[in-house]
Amino acid sequence: MLEPGKIKAITIDLDDTLWPIWPVIERAEKALHDWLAAHAPMASALFANPAALREIRTEMGNSRPELKHDMSALRRESIRLALYRAGENPLLAQEAFEVFFAERQRVTLFDDALPALEFLSERFPVVALSNGNADLQRIGLSRFFRAAIHSREFGVGKPDPRIFHAAAGAVDVQPEHVLHIGDDATLDALGALNAGMQAAWLNRADQPWPHEQEPQVMLTELGELRGLLG
């Protein structure tokens, strides 16, 4: 059972919690492809080949394991490798990545996201906790957050307890006084529980809970938080 009286801070996931991520990624990848088609057509052809793209990403994962938590660096270096293999200028990688990254920040919030952020931020310090590379300043949501902890900067990602503890520490609160909200049963909810936090699993698609240990609360939409924490 949720213990609202213990909650002194909120941590919240971003992708697929506040906005659907795959339409964003698909649009960003198309923008990248169009840019490469105009500036590096051979590399563009590589990215259009699923087998070649898979091989590039596999090689990046094997050769640069230190980047596994940094989605931005992995994307940029994959572009650089494709340019190199295509015999085109690897120095274009940064500019190409910026095209992708700018489009990646053009998100469409779920209808319940903005009211929930307004409600939560009026009552608690809120910390973004993400394995992705969303930029809250560019998206226009930074005013709701006291801090943001990303795996690319911290060096480890969810469900590692250390990143949850870092998020609690960012607002000087012990983990047991934090409620974490997120859509991923393992990375978010179970990760928060193992870090000593309370967990709210956002289950928009009515999926079965896959673990033995259960979160304190399961949500179908963020608006339910008002009744639980109001």
Side-chain angles (χ1 to χ4, degrees), residues 22-194:
W22 285 113
V24 177
I25 296 300
E26 288 173 1
R27 194 171 60 244
E29 287 183 339
K30 183 181 185 304
L32 171 61
H33 176 78
D34 291 348
W35 189 93
L36 287 172
H39 297 86
M42 298 302 291
S44 175
L46 271 181
F47 269 90
N49 182 320
L53 183 56
R54 240 186 340 265
E55 198 277 328
I56 285 171
R57 289 176 174 170
T58 298
E59 178 170 336
M60 285 304 307
N62 292 336
S63 65
R64 301 292 301 274
E66 76 279 7
L67 299 182
K68 68 179 180 178
H69 297 298
D70 189 338
M71 296 298 102
S72 292
L74 274 173
R75 175 77 61 170
R76 184 179 58 250
E77 294 311 308
S78 293
I79 296 169
R80 195 183 311 280
L81 180 58
L83 288 163
Y84 176 79
R85 287 190 173 182
E88 292 170 321
N89 185 1
L91 295 178
L92 291 173
Q94 183 62 42
E95 188 175 354
F97 171 74
E98 285 299 331
V99 170
F100 172 90
F101 193 65
E103 194 67 29
R104 189 259 186 269
Q105 310 310 320
R106 292 182 58 241
V107 304
T108 300
L109 298 177
F110 288 117
D111 290 342
D112 56 4
L114 194 57
L117 288 174
E118 290 170 343
F119 170 78
L120 292 170
S121 62
E122 287 171 358
R123 288 159 178 80
F124 305 98
V126 180
V127 180
L129 183 53
S130 176
N131 286 0
N133 57 355
D135 185 328
L136 291 171
Q137 188 71 39
R138 291 172 73 164
I139 290 171
L141 296 177
S142 59
R143 66 189 183 278
F144 297 114
F145 293 89
R146 193 74 59 87
I149 306 294
H150 294 271
S151 60
R152 72 179 184 272
E153 297 158 353
F154 189 69
V156 298
K158 297 177 293 184
D160 192 302
R162 290 173 292 176
I163 197 168
F164 288 94
H165 294 164
V171 287
D172 296 320
V173 172
Q174 292 299 312
E176 60 265 29
H177 295 301
V178 176
L179 173 65
H180 178 70
I181 304 161
D183 72 286
D184 192 290
T186 300
L187 300 183
D188 287 303
L190 190 62
L193 292 172
N194 289 337

